[in-house]
Amino acid sequence: MAQKIVVGNWKMNLELNEAKELIQGIKNTQDDVRVIVFPSSVFINAVSEGKNEGVEVGAQNFHTEPKGAFTGELSISQLRSSGATVGLIGHSERRAYFSEGNELLKMKVDTAMANNFDFIFCCGEPLMIREAGKELEFVKMQLEESLLHLTKEQMMGKVIAYEPVWAIGTGVTASFDQAESMHRSIRTWIHERYDAETANNVSILYGGSCNQANANELFSCPNVDGGLIGGASLKADSFCTIIDSY
Ligand code: PGA
């Protein structure tokens, strides 16, 4: 069975004291749910020290090189030494505003694998693609070009977040049918590329205006294994309600 996961992506929000206060309020009351928060990297250390048991801390981004002359960048070993246990790869904001394409994201996947660093691979189509009815082939291409080169052993237990770009930060959430249809397709592609065991072991999270009011319905989709939450993860009570939706 795929692990259930609830993720809070704090993006470029909060100052140090706010981040410290927020992490104290985040409690994972579910034995079988993995909870991870992604603060700004400069706060990873403080947030790791202040977190409650059952909560993990991750990095929103990392560089492909282990060290050296890359001003402003952070390596996996630096992030790990600050307390990060997992990284985000390919969030749509990195793709859109920092020109991260499928080729670079494949390198990040390989860097994470080489460093034994857990990651969440994000994918999702922009509105234009959805309106043209091409969302399935678009997302399939994102996965094929950056992730599905992994071996079966490497793919087992991996985490994918499907985040339709038109739903991120817009208040427009994918419907039950839209989410389930994409998630089912992703699982089918993994099944076709690998096998049923691998497909059933990959967690597929939904992201995009998921909040305390709709998490219950989204998490009830058979192929949705949790959520990647942006705005609603910035308040402890709304984030904890989402965790408790399970
Ligand atoms: P949102 O962000 O919940 O604010 O839509 C989701 C995300 O980008 O991870």
Side-chain angles (χ1 to χ4, degrees):
M1 277 291 285
Q3 166 81 57
K4 307 281 183 228
I5 306 173
V6 179
V7 173
N9 178 10
W10 297 356
K11 308 192 182 186
M12 197 174 73
N13 293 300
L14 308 175
E15 293 180 2
L16 179 59
N17 284 340
E18 296 167 321
K20 280 173 152 175
E21 192 183 321
L22 176 56
I23 193 64
Q24 279 172 15
I26 296 176
K27 302 200 168 67
N28 180 3
T29 48
Q30 312 291 317
D31 282 346
D32 51 354
V33 178
R34 188 175 171 198
V35 174
I36 317 168
V37 297
F38 288 83
S40 294
S41 290
V42 67
F43 303 146
I44 286 175
N45 192 237
V47 169
S48 300
E49 283 174 359
K51 73 182 178 61
N52 292 302
E53 208 173 313
V55 178
E56 291 169 65
V57 182
Q60 295 174 18
N61 184 35
F62 58 85
H63 196 259
T64 49
E65 292 297 322
K67 63 174 169 178
F70 299 97
T71 301
E73 290 295 323
L74 295 165
S75 70
I76 286 178
S77 65
Q78 289 178 312
L79 293 161
R80 183 182 270 140
S81 70
S82 293
T85 51
V86 41
L88 279 188
I89 297 180
H91 189 280
S92 71
E93 287 148 20
R94 300 286 326 161
R95 292 176 187 263
Y97 307 140
F98 303 95
S99 308
E100 295 196 0
N102 291 348
E103 206 175 316
L104 173 72
L105 299 174
K106 180 183 186 197
M107 284 167 61
K108 292 199 178 194
V109 165
D110 291 339
T111 304
M113 291 306 306
N115 286 277
N116 203 13
F117 193 55
D118 213 357
F119 64 85
I120 298 176
F121 184 86
C122 305
C123 57
E125 81 287 355
L127 184 59
M128 246 173 56
I129 298 288
R130 163 80 48 178
E131 285 175 344
K134 299 206 180 313
E135 66 275 9
L136 290 177
E137 51 198 277
F138 185 90
V139 170
K140 190 174 190 196
M141 179 91 85
Q142 288 182 323
L143 295 173
E144 279 184 346
E145 292 190 354
S146 306
L147 183 68
L148 299 186
H149 61 286
L150 295 183
T151 64
K152 169 181 159 61
E153 286 68 32
Q154 291 175 324
M155 199 61 195
M156 287 287 277
K158 285 286 167 292
V159 186
I160 295 171
Y162 167 60
E163 302 198 286
V165 179
W166 45 270
I168 297 180
T170 57
V172 179
T173 314
S175 67
F176 181 100
D177 289 342
Q178 286 171 324
E180 176 56 19
S181 148
M182 180 61 79
H183 283 235
R184 190 175 46 237
S185 301
I186 293 173
R187 209 177 296 284
T188 304
W189 301 328
I190 299 169
H191 187 161
E192 286 166 0
R193 174 64 55 96
Y194 304 94
D195 53 22
E197 186 194 22
T198 315
N200 292 330
N201 260 282
V202 169
S203 298
I204 310 173
L205 316 183
Y206 169 80
S209 299
C210 182
N211 58 39
Q212 64 274 42
N214 59 32
N216 217 323
E217 188 186 357
L218 286 162
F219 293 176
S220 72
C221 298
N223 282 290
V224 171
D225 303 309
L228 202 160
I229 325 296
S233 73
L234 293 172
K235 293 262 181 310
D237 53 355
S238 54
F239 190 59
C240 290
T241 306
I242 295 170
I243 298 169
D244 290 340
S245 305
Y246 267 120

